[in-house]
Amino acid sequence: MVHYNNKQVVFLGQPTHFPIVGEHLGVQTVQVNSDLKENDILLRNLYVSVDPYLRGRMADNKNAHIPGFQLGKPFSSAGVSEVIQSRNPAFPIGAIVMGITNWEESSHVPAAAASQFKVLEDARESKFPLRYCIGALGNASFTAYGSLKRIGQPTKGETLFVSAASGAVGQIAGQLAKLWGLKVVGSAGTDEKVEFLLKELKFDAAFNYKKGSILENLRKCAPQGIDIYFDNTGGEALEAALDVMNIHGRVIACGHISAYNGQEPYGIRNMVQVIGKRITIRGFVVIDFEKEERANFRREVSEHLLRGDIVYKEDIIEGLDEAPAAFVGQLRGERFGKVIIKIADL
């Protein structure tokens, strides 16, 4: 029996507000058995995705659509890995795989769990960086594409408002809308991010939601009203969007980060607007559009990336030691772009 040291980011306790590094999550090194049973695989993990929804997995929510983290066990999210040992013919040594990956240096994956990983054919020869599998061409971007297309039902000439517009989902939603002929307004939490939206992503208008009234800023940026609201935050931004929304407007309920960390829920005071304006509000999870739109997304967004039509802002964190602080920083709005932990080089 062979053992090796394995660094991990583990779940330590349920936070009631913002997680605290060392109290609610932290880094530890454990001994792992590398002896494989039939159909087991051993992975060397390369990249894992950092996403706001992971905060929900730290809560005791039995009705959640994704299981919560277990105390003392590693965080996990979408990741990219290399197979370094295998007793499973579907996963040859050297194969690059993607799946729900533990935040650790190596993962001994038992046979029962191996099937959730997908071999990325020709990954080493791809025109895109390997991390794009969980970034520009990953679920965050597909979230933007599928929901904007299916729920937003955009029409050329309409106006889209995106909150948290410089994040992993928001930046793609806004740029796709521009490519599809819409006017785009975005909000973000720093002047640097607002400048990025205007100068790099070519949004028509943008504002810092921490400066002044969200409602007044949105009215100035969209004097003719908005037709679609891509909601990543909930709270005051949602209330403002309902006030400014045109008749038959659509709200894409993607995220609710304003309430993820124990803050007192913001009471939306103008829900009556939904009736008079005949507004549609719809929530979703990313798999809702899998069959209909995944292939379209991959083809269309790949072409836009290769042509340079889409700019993709990444925030790459080097090493697992920095991962807990990076996750908490994302929840506080301190990170910029799609946050990815780089664990190792290929």
Side-chain angles (χ1 to χ4, degrees):
M1 183 177 294
V2 179
H3 289 83
Y4 63 94
N5 290 329
N6 191 32
K7 185 179 291 186
Q8 305 173 324
V9 176
V10 296
F11 177 44
L12 301 176
Q14 293 176 357
T16 55
H17 295 281
F18 283 99
I20 298 172
V21 176
E23 182 176 343
H24 303 116
L25 71 164
V27 177
Q28 68 177 22
T29 299
V30 299
Q31 288 260 306
V32 177
N33 174 17
S34 64
D35 290 342
L36 304 186
K37 297 180 180 179
E38 185 176 2
N39 288 322
D40 288 3
I41 56 176
L42 184 65
L43 304 178
R44 184 171 71 95
N45 299 323
L46 306 174
Y47 298 98
V48 289
S49 175
V50 182
D51 304 289
Y53 85 88
L54 298 176
R55 175 60 180 83
R57 298 185 65 192
M58 300 179 78
D60 184 18
N61 183 357
K62 294 179 175 58
N63 295 319
H65 67 281
I66 299 178
F69 294 129
Q70 298 181 40
L71 289 173
K73 300 296 184 180
F75 268 54
S76 61
S77 62
V80 182
S81 310
E82 179 186 21
V83 179
I84 56 174
Q85 292 184 37
S86 177
R87 293 191 60 192
N88 189 320
F91 299 94
I93 292 174
I96 306 300
V97 300
M98 180 176 67
I100 299 302
T101 305
N102 286 346
W103 289 21
E104 58 187 357
E105 292 172 321
S106 300
S107 296
H108 181 165
V109 182
S115 61
Q116 66 99 357
F117 286 92
K118 176 185 177 182
V119 174
L120 301 175
E121 304 292 348
D122 302 321
R124 296 173 188 271
E125 291 76 39
S126 174
K127 297 176 182 178
F128 300 107
L130 194 55
R131 64 183 182 272
Y132 270 30
C133 297
I134 56 171
L137 294 171
N139 274 346
S141 295
F142 180 52
T143 293
Y145 179 95
S147 63
L148 183 58
K149 191 172 178 182
R150 287 279 168 164
I151 300 175
Q153 300 181 2
T155 299
K156 186 176 181 180
E158 290 187 321
T159 298
L160 169 76
F161 170 45
V162 188
S163 56
S166 65
V169 176
Q171 62 176 308
I172 295 296
Q175 290 182 89
L176 285 172
K178 287 292 297 179
L179 289 165
W180 295 344
L182 279 71
K183 176 182 177 180
V184 177
V185 177
S187 66
T190 69
D191 291 344
E192 179 188 11
K193 292 177 181 179
V194 170
E195 183 177 16
F196 169 74
L197 297 177
L198 293 170
K199 293 186 176 181
E200 298 295 325
L201 304 192
K202 310 301 182 185
F203 280 26
D204 297 279
F207 62 91
N208 184 338
Y209 73 87
K210 295 179 180 178
K211 292 185 173 181
S213 160
I214 295 179
L215 177 59
E216 292 308 313
N217 278 316
L218 183 56
R219 281 175 170 161
K220 291 177 183 177
C221 290
Q224 305 303 316
I226 62 173
D227 302 289
I228 308 168
Y229 172 40
F230 201 107
D231 186 13
N232 289 307
T233 63
E236 186 180 352
L238 173 57
E239 184 175 87
L242 294 177
D243 266 346
V244 179
M245 187 157 280
N246 296 324
I247 292 174
H248 296 301
R250 288 85 73 199
V251 176
I252 303 167
C254 180
H256 210 78
I257 198 170
S258 67
Y260 284 171
N261 295 290
Q263 299 98 318
E264 187 69 25
Y266 186 95
I268 306 299
R269 298 166 294 185
N270 60 347
M271 288 299 291
V272 68
Q273 299 276 20
V274 176
I275 301 170
K277 294 181 178 180
R278 287 86 91 194
I279 294 170
T280 299
I281 303 176
R282 179 179 163 187
F284 68 99
V285 294
V286 67
I287 59 173
D288 290 351
F289 317 112
E290 184 73 27
K291 291 182 180 179
E292 298 86 352
E293 298 295 351
R294 179 70 77 168
N296 295 332
F297 156 76
R298 180 80 189 190
R299 181 185 64 254
E300 187 173 339
V301 174
S302 293
E303 291 173 355
H304 286 312
L305 287 167
L306 288 172
R307 290 198 299 260
D309 298 335
I310 288 179
V311 174
Y312 196 67
K313 175 72 173 178
E314 297 176 300
D315 192 347
I316 309 298
I317 310 301
E318 297 279 347
L320 289 169
D321 288 325
E322 304 302 321
F327 172 59
V328 176
Q330 182 185 60
L331 296 176
R332 291 186 176 277
E334 297 166 358
R335 309 309 308 187
F336 190 174
K338 171 60 187 173
V339 185
I340 293 174
I341 306 297
K342 179 183 176 183
I343 302 174
D345 290 308
L346 180 60

PDB file of all heavy atoms in Angstrom, residues 290-309:
ATOM      1  N   GLU A 290     -29.259  22.156 -21.524  1.00  0.00           N
ATOM      2  CA  GLU A 290     -28.168  21.294 -21.990  1.00  0.00           C
ATOM      3  C   GLU A 290     -28.445  20.702 -23.369  1.00  0.00           C
ATOM      4  O   GLU A 290     -27.638  20.859 -24.301  1.00  0.00           O
ATOM      5  CB  GLU A 290     -27.932  20.186 -20.966  1.00  0.00           C
ATOM      6  CG  GLU A 290     -26.751  19.283 -21.284  1.00  0.00           C
ATOM      7  CD  GLU A 290     -25.416  19.954 -21.058  1.00  0.00           C
ATOM      8  OE1 GLU A 290     -25.331  20.869 -20.215  1.00  0.00           O
ATOM      9  OE2 GLU A 290     -24.447  19.564 -21.746  1.00  0.00           O
ATOM     10  N   LYS A 291     -29.563  20.022 -23.525  1.00  0.00           N
ATOM     11  CA  LYS A 291     -29.831  19.321 -24.779  1.00  0.00           C
ATOM     12  C   LYS A 291     -30.021  20.277 -25.943  1.00  0.00           C
ATOM     13  O   LYS A 291     -29.553  20.024 -27.054  1.00  0.00           O
ATOM     14  CB  LYS A 291     -31.067  18.431 -24.622  1.00  0.00           C
ATOM     15  CG  LYS A 291     -30.865  17.245 -23.694  1.00  0.00           C
ATOM     16  CD  LYS A 291     -32.122  16.385 -23.619  1.00  0.00           C
ATOM     17  CE  LYS A 291     -31.932  15.195 -22.691  1.00  0.00           C
ATOM     18  NZ  LYS A 291     -33.167  14.358 -22.601  1.00  0.00           N
ATOM     19  N   GLU A 292     -30.720  21.382 -25.683  1.00  0.00           N
ATOM     20  CA  GLU A 292     -31.072  22.290 -26.774  1.00  0.00           C
ATOM     21  C   GLU A 292     -29.943  23.209 -27.192  1.00  0.00           C
ATOM     22  O   GLU A 292     -29.826  23.562 -28.373  1.00  0.00           O
ATOM     23  CB  GLU A 292     -32.286  23.146 -26.388  1.00  0.00           C
ATOM     24  CG  GLU A 292     -33.554  22.364 -26.114  1.00  0.00           C
ATOM     25  CD  GLU A 292     -33.648  21.885 -24.683  1.00  0.00           C
ATOM     26  OE1 GLU A 292     -32.642  22.042 -23.943  1.00  0.00           O
ATOM     27  OE2 GLU A 292     -34.705  21.360 -24.296  1.00  0.00           O
ATOM     28  N   GLU A 293     -29.090  23.612 -26.241  1.00  0.00           N
ATOM     29  CA  GLU A 293     -28.186  24.720 -26.531  1.00  0.00           C
ATOM     30  C   GLU A 293     -26.689  24.463 -26.339  1.00  0.00           C
ATOM     31  O   GLU A 293     -25.882  25.276 -26.755  1.00  0.00           O
ATOM     32  CB  GLU A 293     -28.561  25.929 -25.670  1.00  0.00           C
ATOM     33  CG  GLU A 293     -29.959  26.479 -25.937  1.00  0.00           C
ATOM     34  CD  GLU A 293     -30.116  27.063 -27.330  1.00  0.00           C
ATOM     35  OE1 GLU A 293     -29.115  27.200 -28.048  1.00  0.00           O
ATOM     36  OE2 GLU A 293     -31.259  27.383 -27.710  1.00  0.00           O
ATOM     37  N   ARG A 294     -26.284  23.360 -25.693  1.00  0.00           N
ATOM     38  CA  ARG A 294     -24.850  23.187 -25.410  1.00  0.00           C
ATOM     39  C   ARG A 294     -24.009  23.180 -26.685  1.00  0.00           C
ATOM     40  O   ARG A 294     -22.973  23.854 -26.766  1.00  0.00           O
ATOM     41  CB  ARG A 294     -24.624  21.912 -24.612  1.00  0.00           C
ATOM     42  CG  ARG A 294     -23.149  21.627 -24.290  1.00  0.00           C
ATOM     43  CD  ARG A 294     -22.554  22.586 -23.280  1.00  0.00           C
ATOM     44  NE  ARG A 294     -22.979  22.282 -21.921  1.00  0.00           N
ATOM     45  CZ  ARG A 294     -22.425  22.811 -20.840  1.00  0.00           C
ATOM     46  NH1 ARG A 294     -21.412  23.658 -20.942  1.00  0.00           N
ATOM     47  NH2 ARG A 294     -22.891  22.527 -19.633  1.00  0.00           N
ATOM     48  N   ALA A 295     -24.424  22.428 -27.684  1.00  0.00           N
ATOM     49  CA  ALA A 295     -23.642  22.364 -28.927  1.00  0.00           C
ATOM     50  C   ALA A 295     -23.629  23.720 -29.628  1.00  0.00           C
ATOM     51  O   ALA A 295     -22.586  24.146 -30.164  1.00  0.00           O
ATOM     52  CB  ALA A 295     -24.204  21.289 -29.849  1.00  0.00           C
ATOM     53  N   ASN A 296     -24.770  24.409 -29.647  1.00  0.00           N
ATOM     54  CA  ASN A 296     -24.824  25.740 -30.255  1.00  0.00           C
ATOM     55  C   ASN A 296     -23.888  26.701 -29.531  1.00  0.00           C
ATOM     56  O   ASN A 296     -23.184  27.501 -30.159  1.00  0.00           O
ATOM     57  CB  ASN A 296     -26.251  26.291 -30.191  1.00  0.00           C
ATOM     58  CG  ASN A 296     -27.230  25.483 -31.009  1.00  0.00           C
ATOM     59  OD1 ASN A 296     -26.857  24.862 -32.002  1.00  0.00           O
ATOM     60  ND2 ASN A 296     -28.490  25.466 -30.593  1.00  0.00           N
ATOM     61  N   PHE A 297     -23.899  26.640 -28.211  1.00  0.00           N
ATOM     62  CA  PHE A 297     -23.018  27.484 -27.410  1.00  0.00           C
ATOM     63  C   PHE A 297     -21.561  27.231 -27.749  1.00  0.00           C
ATOM     64  O   PHE A 297     -20.794  28.175 -27.996  1.00  0.00           O
ATOM     65  CB  PHE A 297     -23.265  27.215 -25.921  1.00  0.00           C
ATOM     66  CG  PHE A 297     -22.111  27.551 -25.027  1.00  0.00           C
ATOM     67  CD1 PHE A 297     -21.819  28.874 -24.712  1.00  0.00           C
ATOM     68  CD2 PHE A 297     -21.306  26.551 -24.497  1.00  0.00           C
ATOM     69  CE1 PHE A 297     -20.741  29.192 -23.891  1.00  0.00           C
ATOM     70  CE2 PHE A 297     -20.236  26.860 -23.670  1.00  0.00           C
ATOM     71  CZ  PHE A 297     -19.952  28.182 -23.373  1.00  0.00           C
ATOM     72  N   ARG A 298     -21.173  25.978 -27.747  1.00  0.00           N
ATOM     73  CA  ARG A 298     -19.768  25.640 -27.982  1.00  0.00           C
ATOM     74  C   ARG A 298     -19.318  26.156 -29.349  1.00  0.00           C
ATOM     75  O   ARG A 298     -18.243  26.748 -29.478  1.00  0.00           O
ATOM     76  CB  ARG A 298     -19.598  24.120 -27.907  1.00  0.00           C
ATOM     77  CG  ARG A 298     -18.183  23.649 -28.129  1.00  0.00           C
ATOM     78  CD  ARG A 298     -17.327  23.782 -26.905  1.00  0.00           C
ATOM     79  NE  ARG A 298     -15.923  23.522 -27.189  1.00  0.00           N
ATOM     80  CZ  ARG A 298     -14.997  23.395 -26.265  1.00  0.00           C
ATOM     81  NH1 ARG A 298     -15.315  23.498 -24.997  1.00  0.00           N
ATOM     82  NH2 ARG A 298     -13.742  23.175 -26.591  1.00  0.00           N
ATOM     83  N   ARG A 299     -20.144  25.940 -30.365  1.00  0.00           N
ATOM     84  CA  ARG A 299     -19.783  26.368 -31.710  1.00  0.00           C
ATOM     85  C   ARG A 299     -19.728  27.890 -31.820  1.00  0.00           C
ATOM     86  O   ARG A 299     -18.741  28.462 -32.293  1.00  0.00           O
ATOM     87  CB  ARG A 299     -20.795  25.808 -32.710  1.00  0.00           C
ATOM     88  CG  ARG A 299     -20.488  26.174 -34.156  1.00  0.00           C
ATOM     89  CD  ARG A 299     -21.560  25.705 -35.107  1.00  0.00           C
ATOM     90  NE  ARG A 299     -22.842  26.370 -34.847  1.00  0.00           N
ATOM     91  CZ  ARG A 299     -23.874  25.772 -34.260  1.00  0.00           C
ATOM     92  NH1 ARG A 299     -23.799  24.508 -33.868  1.00  0.00           N
ATOM     93  NH2 ARG A 299     -25.003  26.440 -34.047  1.00  0.00           N
ATOM     94  N   GLU A 300     -20.782  28.554 -31.356  1.00  0.00           N
ATOM     95  CA  GLU A 300     -20.883  30.001 -31.542  1.00  0.00           C
ATOM     96  C   GLU A 300     -19.850  30.763 -30.716  1.00  0.00           C
ATOM     97  O   GLU A 300     -19.167  31.655 -31.237  1.00  0.00           O
ATOM     98  CB  GLU A 300     -22.299  30.463 -31.173  1.00  0.00           C
ATOM     99  CG  GLU A 300     -22.560  31.927 -31.487  1.00  0.00           C
ATOM    100  CD  GLU A 300     -24.015  32.312 -31.268  1.00  0.00           C
ATOM    101  OE1 GLU A 300     -24.890  31.408 -31.272  1.00  0.00           O
ATOM    102  OE2 GLU A 300     -24.282  33.524 -31.124  1.00  0.00           O
ATOM    103  N   VAL A 301     -19.720  30.405 -29.450  1.00  0.00           N
ATOM    104  CA  VAL A 301     -18.790  31.149 -28.595  1.00  0.00           C
ATOM    105  C   VAL A 301     -17.340  30.847 -28.978  1.00  0.00           C
ATOM    106  O   VAL A 301     -16.482  31.733 -28.926  1.00  0.00           O
ATOM    107  CB  VAL A 301     -19.076  30.853 -27.109  1.00  0.00           C
ATOM    108  CG1 VAL A 301     -18.027  31.512 -26.213  1.00  0.00           C
ATOM    109  CG2 VAL A 301     -20.466  31.371 -26.743  1.00  0.00           C
ATOM    110  N   SER A 302     -17.054  29.622 -29.396  1.00  0.00           N
ATOM    111  CA  SER A 302     -15.702  29.307 -29.880  1.00  0.00           C
ATOM    112  C   SER A 302     -15.326  30.192 -31.063  1.00  0.00           C
ATOM    113  O   SER A 302     -14.213  30.732 -31.136  1.00  0.00           O
ATOM    114  CB  SER A 302     -15.611  27.832 -30.279  1.00  0.00           C
ATOM    115  OG  SER A 302     -15.723  26.985 -29.170  1.00  0.00           O
ATOM    116  N   GLU A 303     -16.258  30.335 -31.990  1.00  0.00           N
ATOM    117  CA  GLU A 303     -15.992  31.185 -33.158  1.00  0.00           C
ATOM    118  C   GLU A 303     -15.756  32.630 -32.750  1.00  0.00           C
ATOM    119  O   GLU A 303     -14.842  33.288 -33.266  1.00  0.00           O
ATOM    120  CB  GLU A 303     -17.168  31.087 -34.129  1.00  0.00           C
ATOM    121  CG  GLU A 303     -17.305  29.724 -34.804  1.00  0.00           C
ATOM    122  CD  GLU A 303     -18.571  29.602 -35.634  1.00  0.00           C
ATOM    123  OE1 GLU A 303     -19.391  30.550 -35.606  1.00  0.00           O
ATOM    124  OE2 GLU A 303     -18.745  28.551 -36.294  1.00  0.00           O
ATOM    125  N   HIS A 304     -16.557  33.137 -31.830  1.00  0.00           N
ATOM    126  CA  HIS A 304     -16.383  34.516 -31.376  1.00  0.00           C
ATOM    127  C   HIS A 304     -15.036  34.705 -30.680  1.00  0.00           C
ATOM    128  O   HIS A 304     -14.360  35.731 -30.864  1.00  0.00           O
ATOM    129  CB  HIS A 304     -17.511  34.904 -30.429  1.00  0.00           C
ATOM    130  CG  HIS A 304     -18.830  35.144 -31.100  1.00  0.00           C
ATOM    131  ND1 HIS A 304     -18.954  35.929 -32.221  1.00  0.00           N
ATOM    132  CD2 HIS A 304     -20.087  34.702 -30.794  1.00  0.00           C
ATOM    133  CE1 HIS A 304     -20.226  35.970 -32.590  1.00  0.00           C
ATOM    134  NE2 HIS A 304     -20.925  35.235 -31.742  1.00  0.00           N
ATOM    135  N   LEU A 305     -14.620  33.732 -29.885  1.00  0.00           N
ATOM    136  CA  LEU A 305     -13.327  33.829 -29.191  1.00  0.00           C
ATOM    137  C   LEU A 305     -12.173  33.816 -30.190  1.00  0.00           C
ATOM    138  O   LEU A 305     -11.220  34.606 -30.062  1.00  0.00           O
ATOM    139  CB  LEU A 305     -13.181  32.677 -28.198  1.00  0.00           C
ATOM    140  CG  LEU A 305     -14.045  32.763 -26.927  1.00  0.00           C
ATOM    141  CD1 LEU A 305     -14.052  31.418 -26.205  1.00  0.00           C
ATOM    142  CD2 LEU A 305     -13.542  33.860 -25.995  1.00  0.00           C
ATOM    143  N   LEU A 306     -12.246  32.943 -31.175  1.00  0.00           N
ATOM    144  CA  LEU A 306     -11.168  32.851 -32.168  1.00  0.00           C
ATOM    145  C   LEU A 306     -11.063  34.125 -33.003  1.00  0.00           C
ATOM    146  O   LEU A 306      -9.966  34.536 -33.388  1.00  0.00           O
ATOM    147  CB  LEU A 306     -11.399  31.638 -33.073  1.00  0.00           C
ATOM    148  CG  LEU A 306     -11.164  30.261 -32.429  1.00  0.00           C
ATOM    149  CD1 LEU A 306     -11.615  29.150 -33.370  1.00  0.00           C
ATOM    150  CD2 LEU A 306      -9.699  30.085 -32.054  1.00  0.00           C
ATOM    151  N   ARG A 307     -12.193  34.759 -33.261  1.00  0.00           N
ATOM    152  CA  ARG A 307     -12.196  36.003 -34.045  1.00  0.00           C
ATOM    153  C   ARG A 307     -11.872  37.228 -33.193  1.00  0.00           C
ATOM    154  O   ARG A 307     -11.671  38.320 -33.738  1.00  0.00           O
ATOM    155  CB  ARG A 307     -13.550  36.200 -34.721  1.00  0.00           C
ATOM    156  CG  ARG A 307     -13.848  35.231 -35.842  1.00  0.00           C
ATOM    157  CD  ARG A 307     -14.965  35.758 -36.729  1.00  0.00           C
ATOM    158  NE  ARG A 307     -16.205  35.932 -35.983  1.00  0.00           N
ATOM    159  CZ  ARG A 307     -17.217  35.062 -35.994  1.00  0.00           C
ATOM    160  NH1 ARG A 307     -17.127  33.943 -36.704  1.00  0.00           N
ATOM    161  NH2 ARG A 307     -18.318  35.292 -35.293  1.00  0.00           N
ATOM    162  N   GLY A 308     -11.865  37.056 -31.898  1.00  0.00           N
ATOM    163  CA  GLY A 308     -11.623  38.195 -31.019  1.00  0.00           C
ATOM    164  C   GLY A 308     -12.850  39.040 -30.768  1.00  0.00           C
ATOM    165  O   GLY A 308     -12.750  40.164 -30.266  1.00  0.00           O
ATOM    166  N   ASP A 309     -14.030  38.502 -31.083  1.00  0.00           N
ATOM    167  CA  ASP A 309     -15.274  39.240 -30.861  1.00  0.00           C
ATOM    168  C   ASP A 309     -15.628  39.317 -29.372  1.00  0.00           C
ATOM    169  O   ASP A 309     -16.338  40.221 -28.947  1.00  0.00           O
ATOM    170  CB  ASP A 309     -16.447  38.557 -31.585  1.00  0.00           C
ATOM    171  CG  ASP A 309     -16.267  38.512 -33.086  1.00  0.00           C
ATOM    172  OD1 ASP A 309     -15.542  39.383 -33.612  1.00  0.00           O
ATOM    173  OD2 ASP A 309     -16.835  37.613 -33.729  1.00  0.00           O
TER     174      ASP A 309
END
